[in-house]
């Protein structure tokens, strides 16, 4: 875990004081509403449909029990007793009052947390693989790099008023769990010729109304060059990105309109000049950052209790089969705690649930917690012997849903329930899907399947990269749900394709049932996943299932 | 009357009556030290050969949300410009620290802004050297 230096602590506290002052200056008229807006956004305060929302950064998704306890406390004191974990490893509080926000920020600073740059047209909080430091396929832990980027991007004087928001994700493994290809910049640890590690840099990925997969702009960047190279990309973007149309302002459009090669030349020229004044400084710094993320000391624990419980308790066994991932140490497991109970709100956790998770992490799991972009919570270092006790405790708190990677493990944006931009509901659709397939008892039979739902074209629910994506639109005042098929968020990233017209809210669930029935019929075996089946057969059989009545297609 | 904001507060604009040339005018050739005004989309790559003739540069901020001027200032400093550099147009006190850290010496504001955001609000930002993560990274490396 990264421990704040005196500098970090002084910085976040000064920032809270500054924001308190900005709120007062808004009230006394020194700042206009227009001027206040980007200032509050940079501090995580967003205006939603019904109220303000405070989005708190969980840098690269890592936190400890003390921080989780504080989030629970904030949820109880200043919100309605719960929080919402998001697809960008943030937590959102949906009901704060403007006057309370400086106190909330103060409470965050008390546990080395903040809400800086979680919104607005700046470099957003950096995300990383939620299995960092635990996964068995890792080239290196991506968090020291992500922390370096957090520091570098925080209040960077040049990049606070960019054409549009800017998202960076870091992955340390060949298996991409950080969706690096759908970010403005994706950074992937790679091995060079002499076995030294460096970065592959991707640029111009993004979802939204013009989804694009990021392109490789540097296949191997030495680690020392990371910051000057980032500055070169950001400077070219800041100066040349479009400011005339907010839907064309992301860097992906600049890449598209300028052409990758031309843009690459501009960036390389800027990089050469930049490196002269701002030399590679991060190697030594990275080493000192590495020390913060040194793995905890794992002790060999007796795991017979775990084996025994597996044979005796089918519920436990099912949960283990879906919610555990392999840890690099065979005595440990990575536990994913599902925040997707049947018919619940994806990503929501009550204050009590947060405390349960915090206590479990503290007692049994080296005091580390992660938030995944799939809106679940992870205990990355769990000795297997403790799994039965953890499962028992999770069951009592409604946190033992065994559905990771399955049809009810849905990513859904807030949609019409909270978001001012929404054109349709998103959360209730997720709830209906999980309920229906639970009734049908088909979840396990269907196997690995990622459904992702967005409540408008901005695509915060990542629907483009869902195996099945659902996009809620408004057609003359009526909700209409478009389906996309074949999307993929991993290292084999792909944008899903639309097989045909959308469905009304009532037609949607039956359409999904037909679609998945067809899949169960045509798959080669129980081992062929939906995505593999789709890739093998193309969309024709799925189209037929979705639109059996071609007359309706014509309408 | 415009005000110039520096770390020690407000000053009258000593260049209020100065004649600022555009980049095109400068490139047409000059024979005495001149003042230059740059729009945020200016390309400064050819500017170094004129540096000897430039006694001051001001970069225009058409709107405070348009951050191009910060990068343009940083680029000018990177190109070796060591002379006087000011930002003018729509900037707010909350941007003073970013302006200074991007390479500006001063910010020029009009009377209305000076009344709405008086000197004390700008002076509150004069400690911009203390809390820069970018400087902190350089120190730690
Ligand atoms: S996708 Fe649209 S509705 Fe959903 S959170 Fe984003 S902006 Fe709001």
């Amino acid at each position: 875990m990264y421990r704040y230096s005196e500098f970090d602590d002084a910085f976040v506290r000064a920032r809270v004081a500054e924001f308190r002052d900005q709120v007062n200056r808004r009230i006394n008229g020194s700042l206009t509403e227009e001027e206040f807006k980007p200032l509050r956004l940079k501090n995580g305060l967003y205006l939603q449909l019904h109220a303000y929302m405070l989005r708190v950064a969980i840098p690269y998704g890592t936190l400890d029990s003390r921080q989780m306890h504080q989030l629970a406390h904030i949820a109880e004191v200043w919100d309605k007793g719960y929080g919402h974990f998001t697809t960008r490893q943030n937590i959102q509080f949906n009901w704060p009052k403007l006057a309370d926000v400086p106190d909330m920020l103060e409470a965050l600073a008390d546990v080395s947390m903040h809400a800086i740059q979680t919104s607005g047209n700046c470099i957003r909080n950096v995300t990383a693989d939620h299995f960092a430091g635990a996964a068995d396929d890792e080239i290196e832990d991506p968090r020291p790099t992500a922390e370096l980027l957090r520091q570098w991007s925080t209040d960077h004087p040049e990049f606070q008023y960019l054409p549009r928001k800017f998202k960076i994700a870091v992955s340390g493994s060949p298996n991409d769990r950080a969706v690096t290809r759908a970010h403005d910049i994706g950074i992937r640890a790679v091995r060079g010729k002499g076995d030294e590690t460096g970065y592959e840099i991707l640029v111009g990925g993004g979802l939204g109304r013009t989804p694009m997969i990021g392109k490789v702009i540097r296949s191997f960047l030495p680690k020392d060059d990371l910051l000057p190279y980032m500055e070169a990309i950001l400077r070219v973007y800041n100066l040349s990105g479009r400011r005339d149309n907010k839907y064309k302002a992301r860097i992906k459009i600049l890449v598209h309109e300028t052409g990758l090669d031309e843009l690459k030349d501009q960036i390389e020229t800027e990089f050469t000049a930049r490196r002269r004044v701002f030399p590679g400084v991060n190697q030594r710094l990275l080493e000192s950052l590495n020390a913060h993320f040194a793995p905890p000391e794992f002790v060999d624990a007796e795991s017979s209790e775990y084996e025994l419980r597996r044979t005796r308790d089918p519920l436990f066994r099912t949960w283990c089969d879906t919610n555990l991932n392999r840890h690099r140490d065979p005595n440990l497991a990575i536990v994913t705690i599902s925040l997707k109970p049947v018919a619940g709100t994806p990503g929501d956790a009550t204050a009590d649930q947060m405390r349960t998770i915090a206590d479990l992490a503290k007692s049994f799991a080296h005091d580390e917690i992660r938030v995944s972009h799939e809106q679940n919570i992870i205990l990355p270092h769990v000795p297997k012997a403790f799994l039965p006790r953890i499962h028992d405790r999770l069951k009592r708190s409604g946190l033992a849903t065994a559905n990771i990677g399955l049809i009810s493990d849905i990513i859904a944006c807030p949609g019409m329930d909270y978001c001012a931009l929404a054109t349709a509901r998103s959360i209730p659709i997720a709830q209906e899907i999980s309920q229906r397939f639970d009734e049908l008892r088909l979840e396990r039979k269907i196997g690995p399947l990622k459904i992702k739902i967005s409540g408008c074209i901005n695509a915060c629910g990542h629907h483009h990269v869902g195996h099945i994506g659902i996009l809620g639109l408004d057609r003359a005042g009526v909700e209409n749900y478009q389906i996309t098929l074949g999307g993929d968020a991993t290292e084999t990233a792909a944008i899903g394709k639309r097989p045909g017209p959308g469905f009304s809210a009532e037609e949607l669930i039956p359409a999904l049932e037909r679609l998945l029935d067809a899949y169960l019929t045509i798959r080669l075996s129980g081992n062929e996943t939906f995505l593999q089946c789709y890739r093998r057969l193309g969309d024709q059989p799925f189209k037929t299932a979705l639109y059996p009545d071609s007359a309706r297609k014509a309408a | 009357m415009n005000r110039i904001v520096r770390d020690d507060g407000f000053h009258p604009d000593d260049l209020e009556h100065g004649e600022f040339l555009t980049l095109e005018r400068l490139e047409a050739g000059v024979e005495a030290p001149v003042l230059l005004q740059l729009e945020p989309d200016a390309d400064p790559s050819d500017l170094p050969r004129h540096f000897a003739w430039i006694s001051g540069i001001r970069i225009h901020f058409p709107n405070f949300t348009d951050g191009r001027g910060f990068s343009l200032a940083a680029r000018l400093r990177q190109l070796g410009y060591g002379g006087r550099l000011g930002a003018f147009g729509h900037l707010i006190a909350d941007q003073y620290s970013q302006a200074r850290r991007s390479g500006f010496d001063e910010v020029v504001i009009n009377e209305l802004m000076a009344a709405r955001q008086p000197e004390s609000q700008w002076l509150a930002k004069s400690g911009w050297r203390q809390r820069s993560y970018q400087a902190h990274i350089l120190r730690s490396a």
Side-chain angles (χ1 to χ4, degrees), chain A residues 46 413-416 419-424 426 453-461:
Chain A
Y46 192 92
C413 81
M416 201 68 104
C419 179
L421 304 171
T423 44
S426 172
I453 311 174
S454 303
C456 85
I457 196 147
N458 288 322
C460 305

Side-chain angles (χ1 to χ4, degrees), chain A residues 70-82 93-97 99-108:
Chain A
Q70 188 77 331
L71 294 177
H73 172 74
I74 289 171
E76 265 173 1
V77 177
W78 291 291
D79 203 312
K80 296 186 177 176
Y82 65 96
F93 295 107
N94 283 316
W95 309 97
K97 290 192 202 64
D100 289 339
V101 172
D103 291 340
M104 295 171 81
L105 295 176
E106 193 95 55
L108 288 169

